[in-house]
Amino acid sequence: MTAPKFTPRIFSGIQPSGGLTLGNYLGALKRFVEKQDEGIETIYCLVDLHAITVWQDPVRLREQTREAAAAFMAAGIDPARSILFNQSQVSAHAELGWIFNCVARMGWMSRMTQWKDKAGRNAEAASLGLFAYPSLMAADILVYHATMVPVGEDQKQHLELCRDIAIKFNHDYGVDFFPVIEPVIEGPATRVMSLRDGTRKMSKSDPSDQSRINLTDDADTIAQKIRKARTDPEPLPDSLEGLAGRPEARNLVNIYAALAGSTPEAVVAEFAGRGFGTFKPALADLAVSRLAPISREMKRLMADPAGIDRILGDGAARAEAIARPILERTLDIVGMIRSR
Ligand code: TYM
């Protein structure tokens, strides 16, 4: 449990390493917006330092960071109520990340499934940053003494590592300084799957564009991708148990529930006995009605890149004001002379 001495604070981040997908939206962004209204401070970060653990074209990286910022705002993040910024503008992340590199153990890092997936067989050629990735992620969170971290299912292991780092730091230095965070993984769409293969995660790095819905897709593209999504020939069952062993059908039901703000149980009850010839057009209509206004607003915001940069700069200054004193106390605990 989180020690009561820590004020509840929410932190989460998204990599600007490509356009955002429906998975990012339902698993993260949409929930970030909901958290904004719960009376708890919310800090949201575009983790550009994480993005370069795999090479990024510098021009594209800047564009993608602005596009992701636009997606946050278009989805409902209000930069006056939440802190919205890009990671590299607050150097305390990288500084605490280094300290955590000295706390985390090689064995912990090498067990991370995302490291194994991304480095693949050719780990020798992967960047050192990719290996250390989860340690910087722990620093992102703990440099704010954040206590709650809303994410999709795929980040669970990284958040467990964040807890391990906080516990080991506190233990090694005999302090109760870093909170042991709570992962917040909730709702019907914590793991949105590929539209082509219900056993694989929907991802911005999948080579097939048909596998995902991008937040920048127009209405026709969204409808066409849902129409072509892989399914099975059976109609929808009347209970969730009937979806066992039908990953594609289950995925579309989950997506429908998340978009409608409902539950998979209610969706199955509504469409029981109907085939995908009925369900897919209903899902396409719902997806377009929810996503089209977001992509329209993103376009509008993107027309003013300087305006986006100003918002990120302002967010970074507010983030820095929280992070810097926590970093300085950490440096004191670790035994660094600070005499300037
Ligand atoms: P990233 O950029 O891969 O994804 C951002 C968020 O979107 C969620 N997500 C999904 N949710 C449901 N279904 C999917 N198919 C799907 N794909 C992505 C992710 O779970 C995540 O919540 N390491 C993080 C970024 C990060 C971070 C942090 C997050 C860096 N520092 C500190 C939280 C706290 C990442 O790569 O997310």
Side-chain angles (χ1 to χ4, degrees):
M1 280 304 289
T2 306
K5 73 171 192 152
F6 296 103
T7 322
R9 184 177 275 155
I10 291 172
F11 179 94
S12 199
I14 292 191
Q15 287 197 68
S17 52
L20 300 191
T21 69
L22 182 66
N24 297 127
Y25 175 65
L26 295 178
L29 213 43
K30 182 169 182 289
R31 297 173 45 232
F32 297 171
V33 176
E34 290 157 9
K35 299 282 165 212
Q36 200 175 229
D37 297 319
E38 291 181 3
I40 303 173
E41 186 173 25
T42 41
I43 307 178
Y44 297 125
C45 184
L46 307 164
V47 292
D48 47 10
L49 295 173
H50 277 109
I52 60 163
T53 55
V54 174
W55 191 82
Q56 304 288 325
D57 176 83
V59 173
R60 287 290 300 137
L61 179 59
R62 252 187 299 272
E63 280 168 8
Q64 284 162 191
T65 306
R66 290 190 186 113
E67 189 179 290
F72 271 72
M73 291 186 274
I77 295 298
D78 172 1
R81 280 192 289 156
S82 291
I83 295 180
L84 176 63
F85 71 108
N86 59 311
Q87 186 186 29
S88 60
Q89 295 210 69
V90 181
S91 60
H93 290 238
E95 293 174 65
L96 185 61
W98 177 259
I99 292 173
F100 286 170
N101 283 347
C102 303
V103 173
R105 305 289 95 182
M106 294 285 285
W108 300 0
M109 309 309 262
S110 50
R111 280 192 286 278
M112 293 293 113
T113 53
Q114 284 214 342
W115 155 253
K116 290 192 249 179
D117 289 350
K118 285 196 179 169
R121 279 180 222 270
N122 202 6
E124 292 277 314
S127 75
L128 185 54
L130 190 66
F131 189 66
Y133 180 113
S135 157
L136 178 60
M137 183 165 158
D140 295 339
I141 299 165
L142 295 178
V143 85
Y144 298 97
H145 276 183
T147 55
M148 285 179 272
V149 187
V151 288
E153 178 69 38
D154 63 342
Q155 296 301 315
K156 189 166 181 232
Q157 196 187 26
H158 288 160
L159 295 189
E160 280 160 8
L161 187 109
C162 176
R163 292 166 65 98
D164 290 342
I165 288 178
I167 291 166
K168 182 163 166 57
F169 181 97
N170 289 345
H171 173 267
D172 289 358
Y173 292 99
V175 291
D176 183 15
F177 185 62
F178 285 117
V180 179
I181 55 131
E182 285 177 48
V184 184
I185 303 173
E186 58 193 12
T190 55
R191 191 169 174 81
V192 177
M193 308 310 277
S194 157
L195 299 179
R196 310 301 302 163
D197 176 352
T199 64
R200 293 168 63 92
K201 188 182 72 170
M202 181 180 288
S203 159
K204 46 194 165 214
S205 57
D206 192 311
S208 163
D209 194 58
Q210 289 294 321
S211 71
R212 64 178 158 263
I213 291 172
N214 306 298
L215 288 189
T216 48
D217 284 345
D218 61 26
D220 288 348
T221 310
I222 294 172
Q224 178 263 354
K225 284 179 177 174
I226 291 175
R227 216 171 35 243
K228 290 204 170 155
R230 187 168 150 189
T231 39
D232 56 46
E234 303 297 316
L236 284 166
D238 56 10
S239 75
L240 279 188
E241 293 77 65
L243 289 174
R246 300 174 63 189
E248 284 86 11
R250 176 72 211 228
N251 187 39
L252 295 187
V253 166
N254 286 352
I255 292 174
Y256 191 104
L259 284 169
S262 153
T263 61
E265 289 82 357
V267 175
V268 162
E270 185 183 342
F271 288 94
R274 311 278 193 87
F276 286 100
T278 309
F279 184 66
K280 280 180 168 179
L283 176 59
D285 285 350
L286 176 63
V288 168
S289 75
R290 294 288 189 274
L291 301 179
I294 297 178
S295 77
R296 221 178 299 126
E297 178 64 3
M298 278 173 73
K299 273 211 192 82
R300 195 187 68 79
L301 291 164
M302 289 291 287
D304 179 16
I308 294 179
D309 293 2
R310 258 195 314 278
I311 288 167
L312 294 178
D314 172 67
R318 285 154 58 211
E320 166 97 20
I322 302 170
R324 185 53 49 186
I326 293 176
L327 177 71
E328 287 177 357
R329 281 159 69 198
T330 312
L331 292 168
D332 288 338
I333 290 169
V334 172
M336 305 291 175
I337 294 175
R338 296 191 305 107
S339 50
R340 343 181 269 158

